[in-house]
Amino acid sequence: MFHPRRTLRALLLPLTAGLALTALPAQTAQAAATLTNAGFEADGAGAAVPGGWSEYGDTGASFTESGGHGGGYRLSHWASTAYKVETYQYLSGLTNGAYKLTAWVRSGGGQKSAYIALKNCGGAEQRTDLPVSASGWIHIVVPVKVTNNQCTISVNSDANAGNWINVDDLALTSGTTGLAIKGADISSLAKSEAKGGVYRTASGTTADPVAVLKNAGMNYARLKVWVNPADGYNDKARVLATAKRVKAAGQKLLVDFHYSDIWADPGAQTKPGAWAGHSYSRLRTDVYQHTYDVLNALKAQGTTADMVQVGNEINGGMLWSEGSTDNWGQLAGLLNSGYDAVKAVNSSTPVALHLAKGGDLAGTRWWFDSAVSHGVKFDAIGLSYYGYWHGTLADFQTTLDDAAARYGKPVFVAETAYPFRLDSDDAHENIIDLPGELVSGYPATAAGQLAWMNSVADIVEAVPNGRGLGVFYWEATWTAVDGNGWDPADAASGNGWENQALFGYDDRALSSMAWFGHR
């Protein structure tokens, strides 16, 4: 429905069919300091060459048609045979400086490449790939520095037969974008290494995984804190030790308080055993003292937290039942105890509140509206977004952008991940292990894992007003190692996540780590 079979156009195959897009032709496009026909409305449907634009390559595959994002029409790339085509517009007379191009896009996926680029602007070409989104429109951004008073806006497809993209409502404005956080949760690392886990560079050399991740571009580590876990890992002492490695590598540190002895998430927010039976008033003190104790110890050893999560995936509250969302007044008191403890250790450390279900607009609004109405204090919003559970990329973008605007806070992805294969490296069944569980357009390969991470990062980068902080990959180092399973109380428990780590079954760094190099 998004790519009508243009039979006439298919019959009139262009003379340029098969040309590789190796170079720009002579600049014949209309030269202007502002974009012409940026919404592709000038010609209506069926324009072979949209007004103000030029084409190169298999030009029959580029045309306007009905079904725009904002107006009535859009640019589409599609052909019944494999094609390479570029739709471009040359701008001159630009004032030098930083610019960003925004565009609304859709794609059915399957191309060798499909991207929007800013090039010939005086510096390095900048590209943003089109995420695979067959139904919902997604807005992306491409930043560039113009140093020679000109720039070319370029929409590119190198596609197989039947592949399609839609592009609409472009805008070139001053400003820049990028991600401050390109991080990963490495909470399982200390136990992995203690149980014999080995990590290697892509070429196979044994190496410190923190260094491997840093060299790939990772700049922020996330570490969870349990109160008194059965295996002794992810407690205060272990977090202090890993924090030293993180900071020694020049990385920042997010501390993620679960306020439990085991996993806390939307389905389980079990009080630590040491706090069982405590009154609500005492629980507020427990939260404050535990939070202060861990963070003050980090500060004392010279590894002050750079951001703190008060609670983990607290859609239903925390410290059940006293801190359930069934009693928002009490939950607010517990959250504010955590906030106050963070600020008592270091007043400039931002406090994030973290929900799962990153594509759930209504649920996210309900939760944060309730938090605001109950006086909950927070500085940032973190969302978990797993595409195989939490809705489409378009749903995610809608929720993320809404949260940033509605609450006036910076937002980030606290957790996401994607499999690079489906089979298991241990006897434990993987959480995602069937082709039908994957997100359409993103295969279970290292390339698919990379494409997924870049799509998520691109959506965070495009959050308006610079409020998209970045992304944390969840459990990048949780490879299959005997004794490092999911249950801290059961040494024989297995790992259902090793196919979503960023190290392969041969322990080598995967090519998908390249996502850390996102601008």
Side-chain angles (χ1 to χ4, degrees):
M1 63 189 281
F2 304 114
H3 42 88
R5 297 298 188 259
R6 305 186 64 84
T7 52
L8 178 62
R9 188 168 306 284
L11 290 171
L12 301 174
L13 288 174
L15 295 176
T16 49
L19 283 181
L21 301 187
T22 54
L24 266 178
Q27 296 291 1
T28 56
Q30 176 179 347
T34 56
L35 271 170
T36 300
N37 194 20
F40 303 99
E41 298 296 307
D43 315 289
V49 182
W53 294 83
S54 295
E55 297 173 344
Y56 180 61
D58 298 323
T59 58
S62 172
F63 48 87
T64 60
E65 62 182 344
S66 298
H69 167 260
Y73 307 97
R74 68 196 183 209
L75 172 71
S76 292
H77 286 178
W78 175 83
S80 60
T81 55
Y83 63 94
K84 292 183 182 181
V85 70
E86 176 183 22
T87 310
Y88 67 95
Q89 186 170 151
Y90 166 63
L91 298 181
S92 63
L94 292 173
T95 301
N96 287 338
Y99 289 84
K100 55 184 179 181
L101 178 79
T102 55
W104 288 87
V105 301
R106 295 189 296 200
S107 171
Q111 302 90 346
K112 295 172 186 173
S113 63
Y115 60 90
I116 296 180
L118 296 176
K119 58 187 182 179
N120 304 321
C121 310
E125 175 179 329
Q126 295 293 319
R127 295 183 179 182
T128 299
D129 291 333
L130 271 62
V132 180
S133 178
S135 53
W137 290 91
I138 292 175
H139 63 97
I140 59 174
V141 62
V142 192
V144 77
K145 189 170 184 181
V146 173
T147 60
N148 60 356
N149 304 112
Q150 64 183 28
C151 196
T152 298
I153 289 87
S154 172
V155 181
N156 279 266
S157 293
D158 182 353
N160 299 300
N163 293 163
W164 61 270
I165 66 169
N166 302 150
V167 177
D168 204 1
D169 294 338
L170 293 91
L172 185 68
T173 57
S174 61
T176 190
T177 61
L179 300 181
I181 296 172
K182 290 166 277 193
D185 192 305
I186 55 171
S187 296
S188 64
L189 176 59
K191 187 174 180 181
S192 172
E193 291 175 328
K195 300 294 182 181
V198 173
Y199 300 85
R200 304 180 188 279
T201 64
S203 61
T205 305
T206 304
D208 175 359
V210 176
V212 173
L213 290 162
K214 185 208 173 160
N215 290 339
M218 175 176 150
N219 65 4
Y220 224 118
R222 179 179 186 256
L223 298 176
K224 70 170 175 273
V225 186
W226 288 339
V227 177
N228 187 26
D231 60 0
Y233 287 89
N234 302 300
D235 65 356
K236 173 184 166 183
R238 303 285 187 178
V239 168
L240 286 169
T242 303
K244 284 185 177 180
R245 295 175 63 183
V246 166
K247 292 283 191 165
Q251 297 176 329
K252 291 187 175 181
L253 173 66
L254 168 60
V255 178
D256 170 22
F257 284 94
H258 281 229
Y259 301 113
S260 181
D261 293 335
I262 197 168
W263 305 100
D265 56 45
Q269 295 282 338
T270 306
K271 287 195 290 284
W275 304 359
H278 287 189
S279 66
Y280 166 68
S281 176
R282 177 67 187 277
L283 287 172
R284 286 192 64 173
T285 302
D286 291 333
V287 168
Y288 186 97
Q289 290 179 341
H290 171 62
T291 307
Y292 184 94
D293 179 50
V294 173
L295 295 178
N296 198 49
L298 284 165
K299 180 181 178 181
Q301 71 171 13
T303 60
T304 301
D306 296 285
M307 183 156 59
V308 173
Q309 278 181 225
V310 173
N312 186 79
E313 295 190 333
I314 50 176
N315 300 60
M318 64 185 198
L319 293 168
W320 288 348
S321 60
E322 287 81 359
S324 163
T325 49
D326 291 337
N327 191 334
W328 257 104
Q330 291 192 170
L331 174 57
L334 293 167
L335 294 172
N336 283 340
S337 286
Y339 181 96
D340 291 343
V342 175
K343 300 299 183 176
V345 174
N346 184 36
S347 60
S348 63
T349 300
V351 174
L353 298 180
H354 170 210
L355 301 186
K357 304 180 182 178
D360 180 7
L361 176 64
T364 303
R365 276 188 174 182
W366 172 82
W367 199 96
F368 278 99
D369 282 358
S370 300
V372 169
S373 69
H374 286 90
V376 175
K377 296 176 283 189
F378 62 100
D379 306 312
I381 293 171
L383 298 177
S384 292
Y385 174 62
Y386 296 100
Y388 37 71
W389 292 328
H390 295 156
T392 66
L393 286 165
D395 292 336
F396 166 57
Q397 181 168 69
T398 298
T399 305
L400 192 70
D401 289 357
D402 182 78
R406 190 175 181 89
Y407 308 106
K409 304 290 186 183
V411 295
F412 65 98
V413 176
E415 297 181 19
T416 190
Y418 204 75
F420 63 91
R421 59 195 292 171
L422 293 175
D423 61 320
S424 186
D425 196 29
D426 63 10
H428 190 75
E429 181 180 3
N430 288 334
I431 292 174
I432 301 297
D433 63 351
L434 298 173
E437 294 173 313
L438 298 173
V439 179
S440 178
Y442 295 91
T445 62
Q449 190 181 45
L450 174 59
W452 174 258
M453 289 308 299
N454 280 333
S455 292
V456 171
D458 289 339
I459 285 174
V460 178
E461 184 187 15
V463 173
N465 300 309
R467 290 197 175 116
L469 289 178
V471 181
F472 288 94
Y473 193 94
W474 195 69
E475 284 290 10
T477 56
W478 200 7
T479 54
V481 175
D482 287 346
N484 192 24
W486 68 272
D487 186 355
D490 180 6
S493 63
N495 178 4
W497 204 259
E498 74 271 15
N499 67 322
Q500 300 194 64
L502 293 181
F503 290 85
Y505 291 3
D506 58 1
D507 301 323
R508 296 186 183 203
L510 293 169
S511 56
S512 47
M513 274 191 200
W515 90 264
F516 287 117
H518 197 283
R519 60 180 168 256

